[in-house]
Amino acid sequence: SSLSIPSDLAKTEDPDRYTVSVNGYGHMEHPVNLNADIQGMNRYFGWYEKKIQDIDAWVEGLEEKYPYEKLMLSEYGADGRYR
């Protein structure tokens, strides 16, 4: 039998260990998401997009739409400027 995603293999090897996936797309609607126990996303508020203060609304939206998912901001900044 073949395993559909790497997370399946990881769970076969160690069912008690969390699996983590990270994407650089910055939104949960992307098809690469939700294939692991914890989903990370890279965002660059205040640098490549919007202002640093806009992160609050993004986080609140994720909490509202995905209340049972384990999410994290996995990469940020890129020499971000506070505006």
Side-chain angles (χ1 to χ4, degrees):
S1 104
S2 67
L3 300 170
S4 60
I5 56 175
S7 183
D8 291 340
L9 175 60
K11 289 296 184 180
T12 299
E13 296 294 322
D14 187 349
D16 298 321
R17 186 174 300 227
Y18 282 121
T19 58
V20 179
S21 174
V22 174
N23 80 52
Y25 301 102
H27 56 88
M28 286 298 294
E29 294 76 20
H30 198 278
V32 301
N33 291 341
L34 300 178
N35 292 315
D37 298 317
I38 301 170
Q39 180 62 55
M41 288 172 285
N42 301 343
R43 294 298 296 260
Y44 305 94
F45 290 96
W47 184 251
Y48 300 122
E49 60 180 310
K50 304 179 183 181
K51 294 180 180 176
I52 191 73
Q53 297 87 342
D54 295 324
I55 197 170
D56 292 334
W58 178 69
V59 169
E60 290 167 4
L62 289 173
E63 290 173 335
E64 183 177 312
K65 194 168 182 181
Y66 302 95
Y68 303 107
E69 301 296 335
K70 293 175 179 69
L71 308 174
M72 68 179 181
L73 180 60
S74 47
E75 188 173 306
Y76 60 93
D79 194 27
R81 299 182 299 260
Y82 188 83
R83 297 180 195 169

